[in-house]
Amino acid sequence: MKDKKRTIGFSYAWNGIKHVIRTERNFRFHLMAAILVIIAGIVFHISHVEWSLVMIVIGLVLILEMINTAIEKLIDYLKPEINPAAKIIKDISAAAVLISAITAAAIGLIIFIPKIIIIL
């Protein structure tokens, strides 16, 4: 019985991932950026510590993008009409994604610029 509940729980999670990939352009953008960074990590042979940092920030950005999407959909459900408070909630949620993406980009630059300079 536990295995069936666990399987059902995972299927709900996969459904959520599939939905976000299909419907959210920003999530697809971040996912493509993550794939490119992973390829760059393989090409440049980044260290285990660098891989750890890269994977943490990739996860952070993708997770926050999904939370942002969930918050936006919840606000749209609860307040379908235009509402200043709903706008602020959505803006703050989007800002969290932006800050995580800037952080990820900064970490990426710190890791990859020295490796690119060596090649040049």
Side-chain angles (χ1 to χ4, degrees), residues 25-73:
R25 181 178 45 90
N26 288 341
F27 186 85
R28 289 191 303 271
F29 172 80
H30 290 299
L31 189 58
M32 289 272 87
I35 291 166
L36 292 174
V37 169
I38 290 168
I39 291 168
I42 292 166
V43 169
F44 288 108
H45 304 288
I46 63 176
S47 72
H48 288 90
V49 171
E50 291 167 331
W51 271 117
S52 297
L53 291 170
V54 165
M55 297 313 290
I56 288 168
V57 295
I58 285 173
L60 178 68
V61 171
L62 294 177
I63 289 165
L64 282 171
E65 188 64 58
M66 292 177 89
I67 291 170
N68 178 50
T69 298
I71 289 170
E72 287 180 351
K73 293 202 178 298

Side-chain angles (χ1 to χ4, degrees), residues 108-118:
L109 292 173
I110 290 167
I111 290 171
F112 289 108
I113 284 180
K115 295 172 185 338
I116 294 168
I117 290 173
I118 289 172

Side-chain angles (χ1 to χ4, degrees), residues 8-34:
I8 291 170
F10 279 121
S11 72
Y12 293 151
W14 281 114
N15 289 340
I17 292 169
K18 289 187 291 189
H19 178 78
V20 171
I21 290 170
R22 276 194 318 268
T23 63
E24 297 299 320
R25 181 178 45 90
N26 288 341
F27 186 85
R28 289 191 303 271
F29 172 80
H30 290 299
L31 189 58
M32 289 272 87

Side-chain angles (χ1 to χ4, degrees), residues 1-11:
M1 185 69 171
K2 280 186 180 180
D3 286 339
K4 185 173 182 160
K5 285 184 180 180
R6 191 173 301 132
T7 303
I8 291 170
F10 279 121
S11 72

